[in-house]
Amino acid sequence: MEVPVRSGRESQEWSSKKIPIFDAFEVVQFLWGTAGVEVPDDQLNAYWEQAASSGVPWAQNRDSAEQLRIPLKLFGDDTRYNQQSDSVLAFIISCPLWNPQNARNGRWIIAVLEERHSLGLATWCPLLAHIVCALNKLYDEGVQVGNRNFKFEVTEISGDWKYLRQVFALRSHWNSPTDVCHHCKISRTTFPTLPEDCCADTVWPCAAI
């Protein structure tokens, strides 16, 4: 798919570039329909029962007649790949209830983006929109395997701090010259004067996002 990217490493100009991307729906369809990935029903039942009993909001008040959806995880991670410290960001999905002997087989890369080409959200949003559309299709329509239809639901969103900072456009982050926490108003200048106890009734409010 085509996304807007930076024309050069230090350039302020942008152009369109084709980024290879796997369709998450087709990836899951292949894994369950052809590769033979499966999650036992008793394991799936136990997952949702534990989530509901633990007070997880999206596990409450489910219709008992409704089909239990297979949980999916969407996460991102970046890594450097050369001596110039260039890095790539990978968008990955997995199934928390499927644990192959080789953990790498349980991580399915959807797209990889060279960060030196990234314009931030302007580049990310088209990629994320494509991924979300495919995940919505897995939720609404599911995947037909033989005489069974398997539906899926994203129950986990995670990634390294760099990914989370960028994808959620956090104003507060570890590399900020001022606010460094996305939960509270701690900063580089106030940190030495703060008490060690960072409990819920602390004097600085949680409103830094």
Side-chain angles (χ1 to χ4, degrees):
M1 63 176 300
E2 285 196 3
V3 297
V5 297
R6 195 181 305 278
S7 297
R9 185 184 297 272
E10 304 296 335
S11 175
Q12 298 302 313
E13 302 294 327
W14 68 275
S15 59
S16 294
K17 181 179 180 180
K18 287 188 176 181
I19 302 293
I21 181 171
F22 289 104
D23 186 277
F25 179 88
E26 294 180 355
V27 170
V28 173
Q29 186 179 50
F30 168 80
L31 290 167
W32 260 258
T34 303
V37 173
E38 60 180 350
V39 174
D41 290 339
D42 58 344
Q43 190 175 355
L44 188 60
N45 288 327
Y47 174 89
W48 286 108
E49 287 176 4
Q50 181 179 9
S53 63
S54 299
V56 177
W58 38 260
Q60 306 300 313
N61 303 319
R62 285 181 173 262
D63 186 347
S64 59
E66 181 184 3
Q67 175 188 356
L68 292 177
R69 288 178 166 83
I70 298 171
L72 292 177
K73 178 180 180 179
L74 171 64
F75 63 102
D77 197 7
D78 77 301
T79 184
R80 296 178 181 178
Y81 64 90
N82 62 19
Q83 294 181 347
Q84 287 72 45
S85 296
D86 288 330
S87 61
V88 294
L89 175 69
F91 298 85
I92 306 164
I93 61 172
S94 66
C95 175
L97 296 183
W98 190 67
N99 298 300
Q101 290 184 345
N102 188 331
R104 287 179 296 182
N105 292 336
R107 309 292 184 265
W108 312 311
I109 296 177
I110 301 301
V112 175
L113 177 66
E114 287 186 272
E115 292 206 70
R116 62 191 175 94
H117 291 152
S118 176
L119 291 168
L121 289 177
T123 301
W124 288 37
C125 282
L127 285 171
L128 289 171
H130 188 283
I131 294 171
V132 168
C133 182
L135 293 173
N136 284 343
K137 189 176 179 181
L138 287 168
Y139 181 92
D140 293 328
E141 300 179 16
V143 170
Q144 192 70 29
V145 180
N147 60 354
R148 290 195 64 180
N149 181 268
F150 297 96
K151 292 187 176 181
F152 300 81
E153 181 170 345
V154 175
T155 59
E156 298 182 35
I157 298 177
S158 67
D160 61 14
W161 273 117
K162 186 175 182 180
Y163 168 80
L164 294 174
R165 167 195 167 186
Q166 295 184 17
V167 76
F168 291 114
L170 298 179
R171 298 194 304 270
S172 302
H173 53 83
W174 81 97
N175 203 30
S176 170
T178 54
D179 299 328
V180 295
C181 178
H182 67 290
H183 275 303
C184 70
K185 291 187 176 180
I186 189 173
S187 71
R188 294 182 184 275
T189 56
T190 60
F191 177 80
T193 65
L194 294 175
E196 294 181 2
D197 186 7
C198 297
C199 58
D201 59 353
T202 185
V203 294
W204 61 94
C206 298
I209 294 183

PDB file of all heavy atoms in Angstrom, residues 73-80 87-92 115 124 157-168 170 173-174 182:
ATOM      1  N   LYS A  73      -3.409 -10.490  19.925  1.00  0.00           N
ATOM      2  CA  LYS A  73      -2.580  -9.413  20.475  1.00  0.00           C
ATOM      3  C   LYS A  73      -1.961  -8.635  19.324  1.00  0.00           C
ATOM      4  O   LYS A  73      -1.459  -9.216  18.365  1.00  0.00           O
ATOM      5  CB  LYS A  73      -1.473 -10.005  21.351  1.00  0.00           C
ATOM      6  CG  LYS A  73      -0.509  -8.983  21.932  1.00  0.00           C
ATOM      7  CD  LYS A  73       0.544  -9.687  22.789  1.00  0.00           C
ATOM      8  CE  LYS A  73       1.532  -8.695  23.389  1.00  0.00           C
ATOM      9  NZ  LYS A  73       2.535  -9.378  24.246  1.00  0.00           N
ATOM     10  N   LEU A  74      -2.018  -7.311  19.417  1.00  0.00           N
ATOM     11  CA  LEU A  74      -1.380  -6.430  18.433  1.00  0.00           C
ATOM     12  C   LEU A  74      -0.284  -5.659  19.147  1.00  0.00           C
ATOM     13  O   LEU A  74      -0.540  -5.023  20.167  1.00  0.00           O
ATOM     14  CB  LEU A  74      -2.404  -5.458  17.843  1.00  0.00           C
ATOM     15  CG  LEU A  74      -1.863  -4.333  16.953  1.00  0.00           C
ATOM     16  CD1 LEU A  74      -1.214  -4.893  15.696  1.00  0.00           C
ATOM     17  CD2 LEU A  74      -2.979  -3.353  16.597  1.00  0.00           C
ATOM     18  N   PHE A  75       0.930  -5.751  18.644  1.00  0.00           N
ATOM     19  CA  PHE A  75       2.014  -5.010  19.290  1.00  0.00           C
ATOM     20  C   PHE A  75       3.045  -4.563  18.263  1.00  0.00           C
ATOM     21  O   PHE A  75       3.057  -4.998  17.110  1.00  0.00           O
ATOM     22  CB  PHE A  75       2.670  -5.835  20.406  1.00  0.00           C
ATOM     23  CG  PHE A  75       3.349  -7.107  19.969  1.00  0.00           C
ATOM     24  CD1 PHE A  75       4.724  -7.171  19.840  1.00  0.00           C
ATOM     25  CD2 PHE A  75       2.617  -8.252  19.706  1.00  0.00           C
ATOM     26  CE1 PHE A  75       5.347  -8.348  19.467  1.00  0.00           C
ATOM     27  CE2 PHE A  75       3.231  -9.435  19.332  1.00  0.00           C
ATOM     28  CZ  PHE A  75       4.603  -9.473  19.211  1.00  0.00           C
ATOM     29  N   GLY A  76       3.892  -3.640  18.716  1.00  0.00           N
ATOM     30  CA  GLY A  76       4.926  -3.107  17.840  1.00  0.00           C
ATOM     31  C   GLY A  76       6.278  -3.126  18.527  1.00  0.00           C
ATOM     32  O   GLY A  76       6.373  -3.028  19.753  1.00  0.00           O
ATOM     33  N   ASP A  77       7.307  -3.235  17.740  1.00  0.00           N
ATOM     34  CA  ASP A  77       8.658  -3.260  18.291  1.00  0.00           C
ATOM     35  C   ASP A  77       9.622  -2.721  17.249  1.00  0.00           C
ATOM     36  O   ASP A  77       9.421  -2.904  16.047  1.00  0.00           O
ATOM     37  CB  ASP A  77       9.042  -4.690  18.661  1.00  0.00           C
ATOM     38  CG  ASP A  77      10.247  -4.741  19.602  1.00  0.00           C
ATOM     39  OD1 ASP A  77      10.690  -3.669  20.059  1.00  0.00           O
ATOM     40  OD2 ASP A  77      10.740  -5.845  19.871  1.00  0.00           O
ATOM     41  N   ASP A  78      10.651  -2.013  17.712  1.00  0.00           N
ATOM     42  CA  ASP A  78      11.639  -1.494  16.771  1.00  0.00           C
ATOM     43  C   ASP A  78      13.007  -2.065  17.079  1.00  0.00           C
ATOM     44  O   ASP A  78      13.286  -2.496  18.204  1.00  0.00           O
ATOM     45  CB  ASP A  78      11.681   0.043  16.821  1.00  0.00           C
ATOM     46  CG  ASP A  78      12.441   0.560  18.032  1.00  0.00           C
ATOM     47  OD1 ASP A  78      12.038   0.230  19.170  1.00  0.00           O
ATOM     48  OD2 ASP A  78      13.433   1.274  17.849  1.00  0.00           O
ATOM     49  N   THR A  79      13.859  -2.093  16.081  1.00  0.00           N
ATOM     50  CA  THR A  79      15.208  -2.595  16.256  1.00  0.00           C
ATOM     51  C   THR A  79      16.149  -1.897  15.292  1.00  0.00           C
ATOM     52  O   THR A  79      15.751  -1.487  14.199  1.00  0.00           O
ATOM     53  CB  THR A  79      15.266  -4.125  16.021  1.00  0.00           C
ATOM     54  OG1 THR A  79      16.580  -4.600  16.292  1.00  0.00           O
ATOM     55  CG2 THR A  79      14.916  -4.468  14.572  1.00  0.00           C
ATOM     56  N   ARG A  80      17.403  -1.733  15.707  1.00  0.00           N
ATOM     57  CA  ARG A  80      18.414  -1.152  14.834  1.00  0.00           C
ATOM     58  C   ARG A  80      19.062  -2.260  14.016  1.00  0.00           C
ATOM     59  O   ARG A  80      19.255  -3.378  14.493  1.00  0.00           O
ATOM     60  CB  ARG A  80      19.468  -0.430  15.667  1.00  0.00           C
ATOM     61  CG  ARG A  80      18.908   0.759  16.445  1.00  0.00           C
ATOM     62  CD  ARG A  80      19.971   1.426  17.301  1.00  0.00           C
ATOM     63  NE  ARG A  80      19.404   2.550  18.043  1.00  0.00           N
ATOM     64  CZ  ARG A  80      20.099   3.293  18.889  1.00  0.00           C
ATOM     65  NH1 ARG A  80      21.383   3.014  19.113  1.00  0.00           N
ATOM     66  NH2 ARG A  80      19.519   4.300  19.514  1.00  0.00           N
ATOM     67  N   SER A  87      16.805   2.215  12.110  1.00  0.00           N
ATOM     68  CA  SER A  87      15.936   1.239  12.758  1.00  0.00           C
ATOM     69  C   SER A  87      14.685   0.995  11.932  1.00  0.00           C
ATOM     70  O   SER A  87      14.299   1.807  11.082  1.00  0.00           O
ATOM     71  CB  SER A  87      15.541   1.715  14.167  1.00  0.00           C
ATOM     72  OG  SER A  87      14.833   2.934  14.106  1.00  0.00           O
ATOM     73  N   VAL A  88      14.069  -0.128  12.188  1.00  0.00           N
ATOM     74  CA  VAL A  88      12.798  -0.471  11.560  1.00  0.00           C
ATOM     75  C   VAL A  88      11.778  -0.736  12.663  1.00  0.00           C
ATOM     76  O   VAL A  88      12.122  -1.162  13.764  1.00  0.00           O
ATOM     77  CB  VAL A  88      12.903  -1.708  10.642  1.00  0.00           C
ATOM     78  CG1 VAL A  88      13.773  -1.427   9.452  1.00  0.00           C
ATOM     79  CG2 VAL A  88      13.414  -2.926  11.415  1.00  0.00           C
ATOM     80  N   LEU A  89      10.539  -0.469  12.347  1.00  0.00           N
ATOM     81  CA  LEU A  89       9.444  -0.742  13.271  1.00  0.00           C
ATOM     82  C   LEU A  89       8.583  -1.854  12.681  1.00  0.00           C
ATOM     83  O   LEU A  89       8.177  -1.773  11.520  1.00  0.00           O
ATOM     84  CB  LEU A  89       8.597   0.505  13.482  1.00  0.00           C
ATOM     85  CG  LEU A  89       7.349   0.309  14.337  1.00  0.00           C
ATOM     86  CD1 LEU A  89       7.720   0.033  15.783  1.00  0.00           C
ATOM     87  CD2 LEU A  89       6.434   1.518  14.239  1.00  0.00           C
ATOM     88  N   ALA A  90       8.334  -2.875  13.478  1.00  0.00           N
ATOM     89  CA  ALA A  90       7.518  -4.000  13.030  1.00  0.00           C
ATOM     90  C   ALA A  90       6.164  -3.980  13.718  1.00  0.00           C
ATOM     91  O   ALA A  90       6.074  -3.767  14.938  1.00  0.00           O
ATOM     92  CB  ALA A  90       8.232  -5.318  13.333  1.00  0.00           C
ATOM     93  N   PHE A  91       5.112  -4.164  12.928  1.00  0.00           N
ATOM     94  CA  PHE A  91       3.753  -4.328  13.444  1.00  0.00           C
ATOM     95  C   PHE A  91       3.460  -5.824  13.448  1.00  0.00           C
ATOM     96  O   PHE A  91       3.561  -6.488  12.405  1.00  0.00           O
ATOM     97  CB  PHE A  91       2.751  -3.590  12.561  1.00  0.00           C
ATOM     98  CG  PHE A  91       2.970  -2.105  12.499  1.00  0.00           C
ATOM     99  CD1 PHE A  91       3.865  -1.567  11.595  1.00  0.00           C
ATOM    100  CD2 PHE A  91       2.291  -1.250  13.352  1.00  0.00           C
ATOM    101  CE1 PHE A  91       4.073  -0.196  11.526  1.00  0.00           C
ATOM    102  CE2 PHE A  91       2.492   0.122  13.296  1.00  0.00           C
ATOM    103  CZ  PHE A  91       3.390   0.651  12.381  1.00  0.00           C
ATOM    104  N   ILE A  92       3.087  -6.361  14.593  1.00  0.00           N
ATOM    105  CA  ILE A  92       3.024  -7.810  14.789  1.00  0.00           C
ATOM    106  C   ILE A  92       1.707  -8.199  15.449  1.00  0.00           C
ATOM    107  O   ILE A  92       1.197  -7.469  16.307  1.00  0.00           O
ATOM    108  CB  ILE A  92       4.199  -8.290  15.673  1.00  0.00           C
ATOM    109  CG1 ILE A  92       5.536  -7.807  15.087  1.00  0.00           C
ATOM    110  CG2 ILE A  92       4.207  -9.799  15.839  1.00  0.00           C
ATOM    111  CD1 ILE A  92       6.694  -7.888  16.050  1.00  0.00           C
ATOM    112  N   GLU A 115      12.163   3.566   9.903  1.00  0.00           N
ATOM    113  CA  GLU A 115      11.813   4.780  10.637  1.00  0.00           C
ATOM    114  C   GLU A 115      12.439   6.035  10.039  1.00  0.00           C
ATOM    115  O   GLU A 115      11.922   7.134  10.245  1.00  0.00           O
ATOM    116  CB  GLU A 115      12.198   4.623  12.102  1.00  0.00           C
ATOM    117  CG  GLU A 115      11.346   3.589  12.817  1.00  0.00           C
ATOM    118  CD  GLU A 115      11.268   3.848  14.298  1.00  0.00           C
ATOM    119  OE1 GLU A 115      10.626   4.829  14.706  1.00  0.00           O
ATOM    120  OE2 GLU A 115      11.872   3.067  15.037  1.00  0.00           O
ATOM    121  N   TRP A 124       2.080   6.396   9.779  1.00  0.00           N
ATOM    122  CA  TRP A 124       1.526   5.273  10.531  1.00  0.00           C
ATOM    123  C   TRP A 124       0.032   5.070  10.312  1.00  0.00           C
ATOM    124  O   TRP A 124      -0.429   3.921  10.206  1.00  0.00           O
ATOM    125  CB  TRP A 124       1.746   5.507  12.026  1.00  0.00           C
ATOM    126  CG  TRP A 124       3.145   5.357  12.475  1.00  0.00           C
ATOM    127  CD1 TRP A 124       4.287   5.724  11.810  1.00  0.00           C
ATOM    128  CD2 TRP A 124       3.572   4.801  13.704  1.00  0.00           C
ATOM    129  NE1 TRP A 124       5.388   5.444  12.558  1.00  0.00           N
ATOM    130  CE2 TRP A 124       4.979   4.879  13.726  1.00  0.00           C
ATOM    131  CE3 TRP A 124       2.908   4.260  14.790  1.00  0.00           C
ATOM    132  CZ2 TRP A 124       5.735   4.424  14.812  1.00  0.00           C
ATOM    133  CZ3 TRP A 124       3.646   3.810  15.866  1.00  0.00           C
ATOM    134  CH2 TRP A 124       5.050   3.886  15.865  1.00  0.00           C
ATOM    135  N   ILE A 157      -3.035  -4.929  23.540  1.00  0.00           N
ATOM    136  CA  ILE A 157      -2.280  -3.991  22.718  1.00  0.00           C
ATOM    137  C   ILE A 157      -1.023  -3.627  23.493  1.00  0.00           C
ATOM    138  O   ILE A 157      -1.123  -3.156  24.632  1.00  0.00           O
ATOM    139  CB  ILE A 157      -3.089  -2.724  22.397  1.00  0.00           C
ATOM    140  CG1 ILE A 157      -4.338  -3.071  21.582  1.00  0.00           C
ATOM    141  CG2 ILE A 157      -2.244  -1.712  21.638  1.00  0.00           C
ATOM    142  CD1 ILE A 157      -5.238  -1.881  21.294  1.00  0.00           C
ATOM    143  N   SER A 158       0.143  -3.866  22.922  1.00  0.00           N
ATOM    144  CA  SER A 158       1.373  -3.603  23.664  1.00  0.00           C
ATOM    145  C   SER A 158       2.500  -3.261  22.700  1.00  0.00           C
ATOM    146  O   SER A 158       2.318  -3.223  21.482  1.00  0.00           O
ATOM    147  CB  SER A 158       1.755  -4.821  24.520  1.00  0.00           C
ATOM    148  OG  SER A 158       2.121  -5.914  23.694  1.00  0.00           O
ATOM    149  N   GLY A 159       3.666  -3.022  23.255  1.00  0.00           N
ATOM    150  CA  GLY A 159       4.835  -2.699  22.453  1.00  0.00           C
ATOM    151  C   GLY A 159       5.901  -2.080  23.329  1.00  0.00           C
ATOM    152  O   GLY A 159       5.681  -1.838  24.528  1.00  0.00           O
ATOM    153  N   ASP A 160       7.055  -1.802  22.762  1.00  0.00           N
ATOM    154  CA  ASP A 160       8.071  -1.106  23.539  1.00  0.00           C
ATOM    155  C   ASP A 160       7.647   0.352  23.698  1.00  0.00           C
ATOM    156  O   ASP A 160       6.720   0.831  23.059  1.00  0.00           O
ATOM    157  CB  ASP A 160       9.454  -1.251  22.898  1.00  0.00           C
ATOM    158  CG  ASP A 160       9.530  -0.663  21.503  1.00  0.00           C
ATOM    159  OD1 ASP A 160       8.617   0.087  21.111  1.00  0.00           O
ATOM    160  OD2 ASP A 160      10.511  -0.948  20.796  1.00  0.00           O
ATOM    161  N   TRP A 161       8.338   1.073  24.599  1.00  0.00           N
ATOM    162  CA  TRP A 161       7.912   2.435  24.909  1.00  0.00           C
ATOM    163  C   TRP A 161       7.964   3.352  23.697  1.00  0.00           C
ATOM    164  O   TRP A 161       7.140   4.260  23.549  1.00  0.00           O
ATOM    165  CB  TRP A 161       8.755   3.004  26.044  1.00  0.00           C
ATOM    166  CG  TRP A 161       8.197   2.649  27.373  1.00  0.00           C
ATOM    167  CD1 TRP A 161       8.796   1.893  28.339  1.00  0.00           C
ATOM    168  CD2 TRP A 161       6.904   3.002  27.898  1.00  0.00           C
ATOM    169  NE1 TRP A 161       7.957   1.753  29.415  1.00  0.00           N
ATOM    170  CE2 TRP A 161       6.795   2.421  29.179  1.00  0.00           C
ATOM    171  CE3 TRP A 161       5.840   3.745  27.401  1.00  0.00           C
ATOM    172  CZ2 TRP A 161       5.662   2.580  29.972  1.00  0.00           C
ATOM    173  CZ3 TRP A 161       4.708   3.892  28.193  1.00  0.00           C
ATOM    174  CH2 TRP A 161       4.632   3.323  29.452  1.00  0.00           C
ATOM    175  N   LYS A 162       8.930   3.135  22.829  1.00  0.00           N
ATOM    176  CA  LYS A 162       9.031   3.984  21.642  1.00  0.00           C
ATOM    177  C   LYS A 162       7.792   3.829  20.772  1.00  0.00           C
ATOM    178  O   LYS A 162       7.233   4.818  20.270  1.00  0.00           O
ATOM    179  CB  LYS A 162      10.289   3.645  20.858  1.00  0.00           C
ATOM    180  CG  LYS A 162      10.566   4.572  19.685  1.00  0.00           C
ATOM    181  CD  LYS A 162      11.903   4.247  19.038  1.00  0.00           C
ATOM    182  CE  LYS A 162      12.212   5.206  17.907  1.00  0.00           C
ATOM    183  NZ  LYS A 162      13.505   4.899  17.258  1.00  0.00           N
ATOM    184  N   TYR A 163       7.350   2.596  20.597  1.00  0.00           N
ATOM    185  CA  TYR A 163       6.153   2.328  19.798  1.00  0.00           C
ATOM    186  C   TYR A 163       4.920   2.943  20.449  1.00  0.00           C
ATOM    187  O   TYR A 163       4.114   3.624  19.791  1.00  0.00           O
ATOM    188  CB  TYR A 163       5.978   0.819  19.648  1.00  0.00           C
ATOM    189  CG  TYR A 163       4.645   0.394  19.084  1.00  0.00           C
ATOM    190  CD1 TYR A 163       4.396   0.447  17.722  1.00  0.00           C
ATOM    191  CD2 TYR A 163       3.631  -0.072  19.924  1.00  0.00           C
ATOM    192  CE1 TYR A 163       3.173   0.051  17.206  1.00  0.00           C
ATOM    193  CE2 TYR A 163       2.407  -0.467  19.419  1.00  0.00           C
ATOM    194  CZ  TYR A 163       2.183  -0.408  18.052  1.00  0.00           C
ATOM    195  OH  TYR A 163       0.967  -0.799  17.555  1.00  0.00           O
ATOM    196  N   LEU A 164       4.738   2.731  21.757  1.00  0.00           N
ATOM    197  CA  LEU A 164       3.567   3.243  22.448  1.00  0.00           C
ATOM    198  C   LEU A 164       3.537   4.770  22.435  1.00  0.00           C
ATOM    199  O   LEU A 164       2.473   5.383  22.267  1.00  0.00           O
ATOM    200  CB  LEU A 164       3.551   2.734  23.895  1.00  0.00           C
ATOM    201  CG  LEU A 164       3.373   1.223  24.054  1.00  0.00           C
ATOM    202  CD1 LEU A 164       3.516   0.828  25.521  1.00  0.00           C
ATOM    203  CD2 LEU A 164       2.036   0.757  23.503  1.00  0.00           C
ATOM    204  N   ARG A 165       4.713   5.379  22.599  1.00  0.00           N
ATOM    205  CA  ARG A 165       4.788   6.841  22.567  1.00  0.00           C
ATOM    206  C   ARG A 165       4.294   7.367  21.226  1.00  0.00           C
ATOM    207  O   ARG A 165       3.537   8.338  21.159  1.00  0.00           O
ATOM    208  CB  ARG A 165       6.231   7.278  22.812  1.00  0.00           C
ATOM    209  CG  ARG A 165       6.482   8.742  22.486  1.00  0.00           C
ATOM    210  CD  ARG A 165       7.966   9.015  22.396  1.00  0.00           C
ATOM    211  NE  ARG A 165       8.228  10.318  21.788  1.00  0.00           N
ATOM    212  CZ  ARG A 165       9.437  10.770  21.474  1.00  0.00           C
ATOM    213  NH1 ARG A 165      10.498  10.015  21.705  1.00  0.00           N
ATOM    214  NH2 ARG A 165       9.595  11.946  20.913  1.00  0.00           N
ATOM    215  N   GLN A 166       4.733   6.728  20.146  1.00  0.00           N
ATOM    216  CA  GLN A 166       4.397   7.244  18.824  1.00  0.00           C
ATOM    217  C   GLN A 166       2.961   6.915  18.418  1.00  0.00           C
ATOM    218  O   GLN A 166       2.246   7.772  17.893  1.00  0.00           O
ATOM    219  CB  GLN A 166       5.393   6.708  17.796  1.00  0.00           C
ATOM    220  CG  GLN A 166       6.807   7.207  18.033  1.00  0.00           C
ATOM    221  CD  GLN A 166       7.769   6.743  16.947  1.00  0.00           C
ATOM    222  OE1 GLN A 166       7.365   6.327  15.865  1.00  0.00           O
ATOM    223  NE2 GLN A 166       9.062   6.803  17.239  1.00  0.00           N
ATOM    224  N   VAL A 167       2.531   5.691  18.669  1.00  0.00           N
ATOM    225  CA  VAL A 167       1.215   5.286  18.174  1.00  0.00           C
ATOM    226  C   VAL A 167       0.090   5.976  18.946  1.00  0.00           C
ATOM    227  O   VAL A 167      -0.985   6.242  18.399  1.00  0.00           O
ATOM    228  CB  VAL A 167       1.053   3.750  18.230  1.00  0.00           C
ATOM    229  CG1 VAL A 167       0.804   3.254  19.636  1.00  0.00           C
ATOM    230  CG2 VAL A 167      -0.080   3.283  17.311  1.00  0.00           C
ATOM    231  N   PHE A 168       0.325   6.298  20.231  1.00  0.00           N
ATOM    232  CA  PHE A 168      -0.685   6.991  21.018  1.00  0.00           C
ATOM    233  C   PHE A 168      -0.394   8.484  21.135  1.00  0.00           C
ATOM    234  O   PHE A 168      -1.092   9.196  21.855  1.00  0.00           O
ATOM    235  CB  PHE A 168      -0.795   6.379  22.415  1.00  0.00           C
ATOM    236  CG  PHE A 168      -1.385   4.994  22.408  1.00  0.00           C
ATOM    237  CD1 PHE A 168      -0.634   3.902  22.785  1.00  0.00           C
ATOM    238  CD2 PHE A 168      -2.693   4.791  22.004  1.00  0.00           C
ATOM    239  CE1 PHE A 168      -1.175   2.619  22.774  1.00  0.00           C
ATOM    240  CE2 PHE A 168      -3.244   3.526  21.986  1.00  0.00           C
ATOM    241  CZ  PHE A 168      -2.483   2.430  22.367  1.00  0.00           C
ATOM    242  N   LEU A 170       1.841  10.226  22.654  1.00  0.00           N
ATOM    243  CA  LEU A 170       2.022  10.677  24.028  1.00  0.00           C
ATOM    244  C   LEU A 170       2.878  11.937  24.076  1.00  0.00           C
ATOM    245  O   LEU A 170       3.963  11.989  23.505  1.00  0.00           O
ATOM    246  CB  LEU A 170       2.687   9.578  24.870  1.00  0.00           C
ATOM    247  CG  LEU A 170       1.918   8.255  25.013  1.00  0.00           C
ATOM    248  CD1 LEU A 170       2.727   7.276  25.846  1.00  0.00           C
ATOM    249  CD2 LEU A 170       0.559   8.494  25.644  1.00  0.00           C
ATOM    250  N   HIS A 173       6.961  11.419  27.768  1.00  0.00           N
ATOM    251  CA  HIS A 173       7.688  10.195  27.446  1.00  0.00           C
ATOM    252  C   HIS A 173       9.081  10.253  28.048  1.00  0.00           C
ATOM    253  O   HIS A 173       9.505  11.288  28.577  1.00  0.00           O
ATOM    254  CB  HIS A 173       7.767   9.997  25.927  1.00  0.00           C
ATOM    255  CG  HIS A 173       8.300  11.178  25.187  1.00  0.00           C
ATOM    256  ND1 HIS A 173       9.648  11.429  25.049  1.00  0.00           N
ATOM    257  CD2 HIS A 173       7.671  12.207  24.562  1.00  0.00           C
ATOM    258  CE1 HIS A 173       9.823  12.542  24.353  1.00  0.00           C
ATOM    259  NE2 HIS A 173       8.639  13.042  24.055  1.00  0.00           N
ATOM    260  N   TRP A 174       9.792   9.119  27.977  1.00  0.00           N
ATOM    261  CA  TRP A 174      11.082   8.997  28.654  1.00  0.00           C
ATOM    262  C   TRP A 174      12.124   9.990  28.149  1.00  0.00           C
ATOM    263  O   TRP A 174      13.062  10.334  28.855  1.00  0.00           O
ATOM    264  CB  TRP A 174      11.610   7.574  28.488  1.00  0.00           C
ATOM    265  CG  TRP A 174      12.272   7.346  27.157  1.00  0.00           C
ATOM    266  CD1 TRP A 174      13.612   7.408  26.898  1.00  0.00           C
ATOM    267  CD2 TRP A 174      11.643   7.082  25.907  1.00  0.00           C
ATOM    268  NE1 TRP A 174      13.856   7.175  25.570  1.00  0.00           N
ATOM    269  CE2 TRP A 174      12.655   6.975  24.933  1.00  0.00           C
ATOM    270  CE3 TRP A 174      10.316   6.910  25.501  1.00  0.00           C
ATOM    271  CZ2 TRP A 174      12.387   6.711  23.592  1.00  0.00           C
ATOM    272  CZ3 TRP A 174      10.056   6.642  24.176  1.00  0.00           C
ATOM    273  CH2 TRP A 174      11.076   6.557  23.245  1.00  0.00           C
ATOM    274  N   HIS A 182       3.695   9.207  31.514  1.00  0.00           N
ATOM    275  CA  HIS A 182       2.386   9.353  30.871  1.00  0.00           C
ATOM    276  C   HIS A 182       1.243   9.208  31.862  1.00  0.00           C
ATOM    277  O   HIS A 182       0.074   9.354  31.495  1.00  0.00           O
ATOM    278  CB  HIS A 182       2.238   8.340  29.737  1.00  0.00           C
ATOM    279  CG  HIS A 182       2.181   6.923  30.204  1.00  0.00           C
ATOM    280  ND1 HIS A 182       3.272   6.274  30.735  1.00  0.00           N
ATOM    281  CD2 HIS A 182       1.163   6.026  30.232  1.00  0.00           C
ATOM    282  CE1 HIS A 182       2.935   5.041  31.066  1.00  0.00           C
ATOM    283  NE2 HIS A 182       1.657   4.862  30.774  1.00  0.00           N
TER     284      HIS A 182
END
